[in-house]
Amino acid sequence: MPQQLQGRSPGEQSFRTTEVDVACDWLKTAYGTSLRMRTPAPHRPFQYSRTSVGPLSLSTLALPTEYSYATDPLGAVAITHVVGGRMVRECEDDVTQAGPGDVLAISQPHLPYTGRVYHADLRAVTVPLAQVREAAGHPTGQKARPLRFTRFTPVSRAMADQWKRTVDYVEASVLALPTGSAPLVVDAAVRLLAATVLAAFSTDADPEPVLADTRDATSETARRAVAFIESNPAAEIGLADVAAAASVTPRALQYAFRRHLGSTPMAHLRRVRLAHAHADLVAADPTRDTVTAIAHRWGFHHQGRFAAAYREAYGLPPRDALAGS
């Protein structure tokens, strides 16, 4: 009997059926995919769940059958962890096979791809292409060649494991948040995954250094960037946004901070947000407010690291600041 289950929130969907035609139609609707699917193994249903928060989504699929598919360009970066079974996918001239435990980038974001899946359990994460390009140092809106993976598997087994741990962490601590809550935490998670993509996979994303980057790394550039950060601490901003506000490239901005402030733009943003979290803790009502809620408000999703940073800056744990407010 087919069954589609409503998620606990608008960002959650799940689906379960033993009927191949129902599964086929639903997956076509969900992904815009052309696919052919065999009848599933006896007593094993198709199962699918998807959790989305902001631009980030995590899907898990249990597909106890063989199926082949063809799809249009995703326009996003999709990374799949093969938990069980195996799959083969082809993009341009590259054919990649993956089995249990393997991680792979599913396609070049701007190209169509095809594949075949064999009785597989999969975990798939989609990260906005713009965030990956920004993490690589490309200004938002800058026209450039499409991002390309130079290999579709991680650069090492250690980086494959790092990707899995990062996804586990984001799923447990960020995707579990109520829809619409803690937007800075969601923004930080998207940026974390984008940076992990670039660390785990070989791409051509890094922009070429230019002489103007060194020339623009002035104290005035740093001053403009600091003013922008301190005026927008609650906004969902990253390196490229700060660089655009200072009218320089992200690389020039990093040079300016290193040269004149001995720091980085994102470290300064974290310090500014920590100061706002401190002010909120001091002004909070301990009977109503919590350290976790205040930390999330200012984009700190890892409570241990927030507590350590707070203690280093203010000499006491955040719970003591809240209790004494």
Side-chain angles (χ1 to χ4, degrees):
M1 174 72 74
Q3 186 178 18
Q4 184 171 347
L5 305 175
Q6 180 64 41
R8 292 172 297 171
S9 73
E12 296 182 32
Q13 293 178 306
S14 61
F15 179 81
R16 187 174 187 271
T17 185
T18 56
E19 297 184 17
V20 65
D21 291 342
V22 174
C24 231
D25 289 344
W26 199 87
L27 289 173
K28 286 178 182 178
T29 300
Y31 290 102
T33 300
S34 169
L35 56 84
R36 291 183 299 172
M37 185 179 291
R38 293 188 179 182
T39 302
H43 312 298
R44 288 198 61 194
F46 298 102
Q47 297 185 80
Y48 170 89
S49 66
R50 183 175 189 173
T51 304
S52 300
V53 177
L56 180 65
S57 71
L58 169 66
S59 301
T60 60
L61 301 92
L63 301 162
T65 186
E66 294 182 21
Y67 74 96
S68 59
Y69 62 88
T71 190
D72 293 331
L74 292 172
V77 172
I79 309 297
T80 296
H81 169 201
V82 181
V83 179
R86 63 189 181 94
M87 66 181 298
V88 180
R89 76 100 193 86
E90 182 173 355
C91 183
E92 205 169 27
D93 295 328
D94 180 89
V95 178
T96 302
Q97 301 188 42
D102 290 340
V103 174
L104 74 157
I106 207 69
S107 70
Q108 303 291 10
H110 63 291
L111 294 176
Y113 63 99
T114 62
R116 183 175 290 275
V117 177
Y118 302 87
H119 300 270
D121 293 332
L122 309 174
R123 297 182 80 205
V125 176
T126 303
V127 184
L129 182 57
Q131 290 286 11
V132 178
R133 290 185 53 77
E134 181 179 326
H138 292 273
T140 301
Q142 180 191 63
K143 187 175 182 179
R145 67 183 187 274
L147 177 144
R148 294 183 66 92
F149 288 93
T150 54
R151 56 182 280 180
F152 289 92
T153 54
V155 295
S156 67
R157 174 56 62 183
M159 289 311 304
D161 291 341
Q162 179 63 40
W163 172 259
K164 296 174 197 175
R165 287 193 296 270
T166 303
V167 172
D168 288 343
Y169 169 71
V170 169
E171 180 180 24
S173 62
V174 179
L175 293 179
L177 293 171
T179 301
S181 68
L184 291 184
V185 170
V186 175
D187 182 63
V190 175
R191 296 178 191 279
L192 171 64
L193 284 168
T196 307
V197 168
L198 294 173
F201 292 87
S202 177
T203 72
D204 66 354
D206 289 341
E208 294 294 327
V210 296
L211 182 60
D213 291 339
T214 302
R215 184 194 63 213
D216 291 341
T218 64
S219 59
E220 177 61 19
T221 290
R223 186 198 66 76
R224 289 197 302 269
V226 166
F228 175 76
I229 288 170
E230 294 180 352
S231 298
N232 298 276
E236 297 173 19
I237 56 176
L239 178 64
D241 302 297
V242 181
S247 302
V248 296
T249 68
R251 193 187 298 273
L253 182 65
Q254 290 172 314
Y255 288 164
F257 265 71
R258 191 177 305 128
R259 181 181 297 171
H260 300 287
L261 301 177
S263 183
T264 68
M266 293 300 95
H268 186 75
L269 176 61
R270 286 191 294 272
R271 285 194 294 271
V272 170
R273 287 177 172 169
L274 185 65
H276 281 274
H278 170 66
D280 283 359
L281 284 166
V282 170
D285 178 352
T287 66
R288 185 182 66 241
D289 300 312
T290 66
V291 170
T292 297
I294 290 171
H296 282 174
R297 182 183 307 155
W298 292 105
F300 296 97
H301 48 86
H302 191 291
Q303 295 305 300
R305 285 198 283 269
F306 172 70
Y310 188 89
R311 182 189 288 273
E312 182 178 356
Y314 298 103
L316 73 165
R319 64 176 181 275
D320 289 357
L322 178 65
S325 60

